[in-house]
Amino acid sequence: MFPSTSPEAGRESWPAGPHPGPAAAPTRGHPPAPRTGPATADGDRRERGGPRRARRAGEPARRSEDEIDEPEEEVVPPVEVRRQLAMTIAGFAALLGVGLVLGAQTSGPGHRLPFAFIIFGVQLLFVLAWTMAMRPPALLVVGGISATVAALADIAAVQTDIAGLAPLGYLAVGGFLAAVLGQLVRRVDRVRVTDSLGATLLIVVGVVAFGTLIVLSRIPAGTQAITVCLSASGVALTVARLTDAVLPWPRLAPQVPRGAAGVVAGAMVGTLTSALLGSYLVAPFTPTRAAVIGLVAAVTAVLSDLAVGYAEAGRLMAGEPPTMWVARHMQGPLGGFALAAPAAYAMCMLFL
């Protein structure tokens, strides 16, 4: 019996060696065993491992990579930088820094209350701005507890026999737990408590952080450290915002109306200001020491202000409605000074 195909189809070339001999006939009812032979040369038909897919009429054999439809990335337009708003925030940061520095100069042995009243006023602004901007559950409860913790922290900083941060730490933990429990009372607020733990912690710790300035004023050379650190922080925040009003480049994120030039310029000018102040202050201050502690305070303040801008952009992208206009834009400078205060205390303990 001869195969049904033509002699030319699928013919394989015989090897140069001797004839291998006849192959055994396949068993009736079973398919023939696959033939093993030399690899196919270029131009021969390649055998596919699976069945061929029927190709429709007019369809090309293989689609090119250019024809593959790729999803287009959504281009997010950058947020417009409003110059007047940036200049207004810069003015607020400058006024806040001047008020805190002048208030520290009124502090002296047995005369801590004037500075404590100034700090308490700034703490109330912090509570108002951050609660209205972040809007945690049970807003009034969190705001009331934070204001109470601020007053108790100022009293503890003035009245304790030994100047230290331990009473302030206990008040921060107690205020945080009280604020969380206040949010758990109502069932409506109870659902959002887990998501708002970070916001509640920031508000309570922020108001207590301002109290470290009162403790620092009771330490030798503490008032001078407050002057150097807060001056550097105020100048850094002001220069950063003014630079954003003139040259917001390069943009750090399309959704954040801030530029890297402002952040770098603010930190550098703030450090220079602290070094100049250190050259006029008495020992143990030197221009080098003042520059080091001023650099830490300035960088902390500028990065905190920048982080507030990222947080606000994240809330807007998540679909949350914008909050009070004044509170949103006061939040950055207040947060910068709130974190610069414990940084000044730590640098004073380490370097002075």
Side-chain angles (χ1 to χ4, degrees), residues 224-322:
Q224 296 177 347
I226 293 174
T227 302
V228 171
C229 292
L230 295 189
S231 297
S233 302
V235 170
L237 291 172
T238 304
V239 172
R241 290 290 185 170
L242 289 178
T243 306
D244 290 336
V246 178
L247 183 64
W249 181 88
R251 291 290 293 270
L252 296 174
Q255 299 83 10
V256 181
R258 301 296 304 273
V263 176
V264 176
M268 294 177 61
V269 177
T271 305
L272 178 62
T273 302
S274 62
L276 293 176
L277 290 176
S279 63
Y280 291 101
L281 297 177
V282 297
F285 276 91
T286 61
T288 303
R289 290 182 177 180
V292 171
I293 65 175
L295 173 63
V296 174
V299 171
T300 302
V302 171
L303 292 182
S304 302
D305 186 18
L306 182 63
V308 169
Y310 274 93
E312 178 65 22
R315 288 193 294 268
L316 293 179
M317 292 179 64
E320 298 183 9

Side-chain angles (χ1 to χ4, degrees), residues 51-73:
R52 292 181 179 271
R53 181 178 63 88
R55 190 172 60 196
R56 299 178 182 177
E59 182 181 357
R62 182 177 297 177
R63 300 177 63 184
S64 61
E65 296 181 358
D66 297 337
E67 297 177 356
I68 299 177
D69 296 333
E70 296 182 357
E72 297 182 358
E73 296 182 358

Side-chain angles (χ1 to χ4, degrees), residues 2-295:
F2 293 96
S4 58
T5 56
S6 62
E8 298 295 332
R11 175 176 297 177
E12 296 181 355
S13 59
W14 293 100
H19 195 280
T27 308
R28 182 179 301 275
H30 296 278
R35 291 182 297 176
T36 58
T40 57
D42 295 336
D44 292 343
R45 184 178 61 184
R46 296 183 179 179
E47 296 181 1
R48 299 177 59 92
R52 292 181 179 271
R53 181 178 63 88
R55 190 172 60 196
R56 299 178 182 177
E59 182 181 357
R62 182 177 297 177
R63 300 177 63 184
S64 61
E65 296 181 358
D66 297 337
E67 297 177 356
I68 299 177
D69 296 333
E70 296 182 357
E72 297 182 358
E73 296 182 358
E74 183 180 358
V75 179
V76 179
V79 178
E80 181 183 1
V81 179
R82 293 181 286 180
R83 295 184 177 181
Q84 294 183 353
L85 177 60
M87 296 177 66
T88 302
I89 299 175
F92 173 71
L95 290 176
L96 187 59
V98 170
L100 290 174
V101 171
L102 293 180
Q105 300 300 320
T106 63
S107 178
H111 299 281
R112 312 289 180 187
L113 287 179
F115 188 40
F117 281 121
I118 294 175
I119 293 296
F120 184 67
V122 176
Q123 287 170 328
L124 291 181
L125 284 177
F126 182 89
V127 172
L128 174 64
W130 279 69
T131 52
M132 293 302 298
M134 305 190 76
R135 301 191 67 85
L139 188 145
L140 295 179
V141 175
V142 174
I145 292 176
S146 300
T148 304
V149 171
L152 294 177
D154 296 341
I155 294 173
V158 173
Q159 297 296 332
T160 51
D161 297 332
I162 301 176
L165 298 182
L168 302 185
Y170 298 146
L171 286 172
V173 174
F176 174 70
L177 294 178
V180 173
L181 291 177
Q183 295 172 354
L184 292 175
V185 172
R186 296 178 56 188
R187 181 176 299 178
V188 178
D189 300 326
R190 196 180 306 163
V191 180
R192 298 175 51 207
V193 169
T194 305
D195 299 333
S196 66
L197 287 178
T200 306
L201 181 62
L202 286 175
I203 295 172
V204 176
V205 172
V207 295
V208 174
F210 279 105
T212 59
L213 295 175
I214 303 176
V215 178
L216 186 58
S217 66
R218 298 178 57 185
I219 298 174
T223 302
Q224 296 177 347
I226 293 174
T227 302
V228 171
C229 292
L230 295 189
S231 297
S233 302
V235 170
L237 291 172
T238 304
V239 172
R241 290 290 185 170
L242 289 178
T243 306
D244 290 336
V246 178
L247 183 64
W249 181 88
R251 291 290 293 270
L252 296 174
Q255 299 83 10
V256 181
R258 301 296 304 273
V263 176
V264 176
M268 294 177 61
V269 177
T271 305
L272 178 62
T273 302
S274 62
L276 293 176
L277 290 176
S279 63
Y280 291 101
L281 297 177
V282 297
F285 276 91
T286 61
T288 303
R289 290 182 177 180
V292 171
I293 65 175
L295 173 63

